[in-house]
DNA sequence: GTGGTCTAGACCACG
DNA sequence: GTGGTCTAGACCACC
């Protein structure tokens, strides 16, 4: 499982970057239901961050139902979540898209110009 | 000058909302060079927010050169800024657009699907 | 707002004790919608625990929709939640009650005996 | 000897579930004094859990005096324990019952309502 | 002053 | 070895 952190102080909390990317990995089928995520400490070490930060990400993923933690055994992708996550992903994409379009309108930016970008 | 605030804790700082909207007003010609902005306290009262917040927005606008404060007289839209703001706006639009496209790619969302949104 | 912590290592995490008791306070009307909770640091100091622990409790309460945090302003009881919490409370009561009864049955404890307790 | 495990991470440690259920079996006469319990490895295999976990359960049962391990021979139900276990069970029932009642009071739940559940 | 994030590291229960 | 909880204290953005 490969995760890339943008530490550029881009105002996105590390733990959310993890949450988001795990969602992506599941939605795109690169993480399959039942598959085990790296142990908290291992992922923390690999990303050179504090275990607490990974733990928080995993906790949020569990609250979303995307992952299930069997204590003392590990953390696993929950069953039958691929579809839900997929629609989730699209929904997550919609608001920023709308905002972008709205912003563009306020700027009177031509549609073609926007598409080029 | 009409400004609408989204206080829904939607992750956009109030002062930035003000900055952005003043830029829009200038770029779209609804605020003309030389025109006076509302006094800090007046705008703060109208928006039911802390005067410090308005002050900060005005300060940022001044640093952008979009506005000039003549002490004890008021805050005025600077001269000949319309064009600069316009290009500013486009630049401001590019990064989120890129991010959106990048996110979409990670989701393997088809381009057509994205354009529809 | 009075909160009592059982530090007797009774296996209930501190942050959950806070969550639970705030729920009780709301459900019983001792905390009214719109009312402000003590700032994280203040409550932490009062309970002689780490601010992070209080923060976690508040975060969970927010995720439950019971509370809303207006950053830099404070933490407030959400509107129109009394009823939901009340039913929540009853639901929270049901499983342990069932477990108790089931356990009693396995012990062949007479019903009267149980009621006396 | 039939034992059912709730692996739903419902906050009850596996080894305690075993301890409890063995107590029930003894108290209810389905396990008689002198009778042999399944070997650790056998029970572990049957329940698909770690042998260490079964070992721990047996150890606790031995500390309670409910069971006695004769090395290299097996684990047997101790003599004359049925009555003790029975009272044990009642004691084990009291604290959760109290907690339940206390919780109910905090919720202002009527007693009749509680009894129905 | 508010809450938010993160670190470093401790201790625990469980398997 | 797994995850869970908690502490102590840092720095940040915002109002």
């Amino acid at each position: 499982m490969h995760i890339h952190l943008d530490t550029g102080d881009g105002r996105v909390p590390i733990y959310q970057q993890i949450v988001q990317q795990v969602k992506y990995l599941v939605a795109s089928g690169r993480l399959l239901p039942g598959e085990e995520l790296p142990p908290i400490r291992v992922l923390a070490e690999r990303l050179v961050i504090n275990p607490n930060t990974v733990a928080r990400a995993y906790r949020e993923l569990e609250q979303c139902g995307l992952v299930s933690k069997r204590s003392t055994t590990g953390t696993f992708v929950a069953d039958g979540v691929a579809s839900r996550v997929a629609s989730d992903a699209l929904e997550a994409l919609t608001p920023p898209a709308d905002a972008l379009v709205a912003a563009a309108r306020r700027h009177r930016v031509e549609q073609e110009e926007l598409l080029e970008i």
Side-chain angles (χ1 to χ4, degrees), chain A:
Chain A
M1 198 183 75
H2 203 68
I3 284 192
H4 174 71
L5 291 186
D6 174 20
T7 55
D9 231 24
R11 202 38 6 83
V12 184
I14 294 179
Y15 78 92
Q16 278 198 7
Q17 295 186 40
I18 299 176
V19 167
Q20 234 185 6
Q21 296 193 35
V22 170
K23 281 189 184 175
Y24 292 156
L25 291 173
V26 172
S28 63
R30 265 167 293 188
L31 269 180
L32 300 175
E35 197 166 345
E36 184 173 3
L37 297 183
I40 290 180
R41 293 161 171 83
V42 170
L43 185 54
E45 196 175 323
R46 203 193 298 165
L47 299 177
V48 199
I49 60 178
N50 190 293
N52 282 332
T53 307
V54 179
R56 178 165 180 186
Y58 279 16
R59 197 187 318 137
E60 301 233 336
L61 283 168
E62 191 185 25
Q63 288 173 339
C64 294
L66 222 148
V67 130
S68 108
K69 276 183 269 195
R70 303 174 206 154
S71 247
T72 82
T73 311
T75 304
F76 302 83
V77 177
D79 287 334
V81 290
S83 55
R84 178 152 45 85
V85 169
S87 60
D88 241 47
L90 266 189
E91 285 172 17
L93 220 53
T94 314
D98 284 350
L100 187 63
V101 170
R105 283 219 184 94
R106 274 176 298 192
H107 288 295
R108 296 181 174 177
V109 175
E110 305 301 329
Q111 193 175 356
E112 299 79 33
E113 209 168 355
L114 185 57
L115 291 183
E116 287 177 9
I117 310 173

